[in-house]
Amino acid sequence: MPMTKPQSLFKSGRISCLPIRNRVVMPPLGMALDSAYGEITDYHIAYYEVRARGGVGPIVMEACLVEPTFGKSDFANSRIDDNRFIPIMHRLANAIHKHDTRIFVQMHHAGRQSNSALTGAVQIVAPSPVSSPVIGETLCALSLEEIADLEDRFVQGALRCKMAGMDGVKRFNHRPCEQQFRNCPIEDQHCCLSS
């Protein structure tokens, strides 16, 4: 029996207010293609553009830091914590959009899932001093002021993504800092930036 394509997978659709050309989603994958300072590189742009040209509907970019010291989950994370990252993010968005593909940025702060090797021996911060059983390091609980600052960093990161022409943002969903405030898993959400 010949294989046939599932027709609904290749139909156009919507994510919130955003039309997408099909329902084939490129999930976030930690590519480690960024510079040591978190800038997206030309190689990174080319990598995503090949996927867009290949016909994927939306692309979800890997973890992008809203805070570069305490928020790291890897040695090579993209960053959106400063306006200097907007021009290169804009180049990425344009490269993807010319192939009728959408791109979402996965905003991230690792919280207790980070480790001192990533933070430069600076103590990890998290919503509580309860350490991750995986990492096992002593944590410093965020103060109310630090929580407010972190919340603002997510807002500012989303605004920078919008200024760069990204189509939306999503939360990183593998126990990032904002999820660690709760005892139960949070349903993954996308946020449309077109309004």
Side-chain angles (χ1 to χ4, degrees):
M1 174 186 234
M3 276 188 80
T4 59
K5 292 180 182 178
Q7 295 305 311
S8 62
L9 190 60
F10 297 96
K11 284 185 178 178
S12 62
R14 298 183 83 72
I15 296 176
S16 186
C17 59
L18 204 60
I20 55 172
R21 71 174 169 176
N22 63 50
R23 297 161 193 216
V24 178
V25 178
M26 180 184 165
L29 305 166
M31 300 311 303
L33 300 174
D34 305 293
S35 77
Y37 302 104
E39 291 106 352
I40 293 170
T41 61
D42 290 337
Y43 189 73
H44 206 163
I45 293 171
Y47 172 85
Y48 281 122
E49 188 171 5
V50 166
R51 274 82 194 152
R53 189 180 318 119
V56 70
I59 292 172
V60 182
M61 194 178 147
E62 72 268 19
C64 193
L65 300 178
V66 297
E67 196 287 318
T69 303
F70 304 108
K72 284 186 168 185
S73 59
D74 201 341
F75 285 104
N77 286 118
S78 301
R79 290 173 53 186
I80 195 65
D81 61 293
D82 190 280
N83 287 347
R84 71 186 168 105
F85 297 105
I86 294 171
I88 193 70
M89 290 288 244
H90 185 71
R91 279 188 51 217
L92 173 60
N94 285 343
I96 300 308
H97 290 153
K98 73 181 179 183
H99 300 288
D100 193 29
T101 299
R102 303 294 187 170
I103 185 162
F104 288 80
V105 175
Q106 183 175 236
M107 296 196 315
H108 179 59
H109 185 288
R112 71 182 196 149
Q113 295 298 105
S114 189
N115 67 67
S116 57
L118 296 172
T119 64
V122 175
Q123 190 175 28
I124 304 165
V125 298
S128 80
V130 177
S131 68
S132 162
V134 175
I135 307 299
E137 292 188 30
T138 303
L139 306 178
C140 181
L142 291 162
S143 68
L144 292 177
E145 294 81 18
E146 290 169 325
I147 292 168
D149 178 65
L150 187 55
E151 181 180 55
D152 186 59
R153 287 176 180 273
F154 275 92
V155 170
Q156 294 303 313
L159 290 172
R160 288 184 186 103
C161 288
K162 183 174 184 173
M163 291 167 51
M166 297 295 176
D167 296 301
V169 295
K170 77 176 281 303
R171 287 191 309 255
F172 184 88
N173 62 357
H174 180 64
R175 291 278 175 217
C177 192
E178 69 274 14
Q179 250 182 300
Q180 295 164 24
F181 282 97
R182 303 174 192 235
N183 293 325
C184 59
I186 298 174
E187 185 177 318
D188 192 34
Q189 298 289 317
H190 286 83
C191 173
C192 179
L193 293 176
S194 66
S195 53

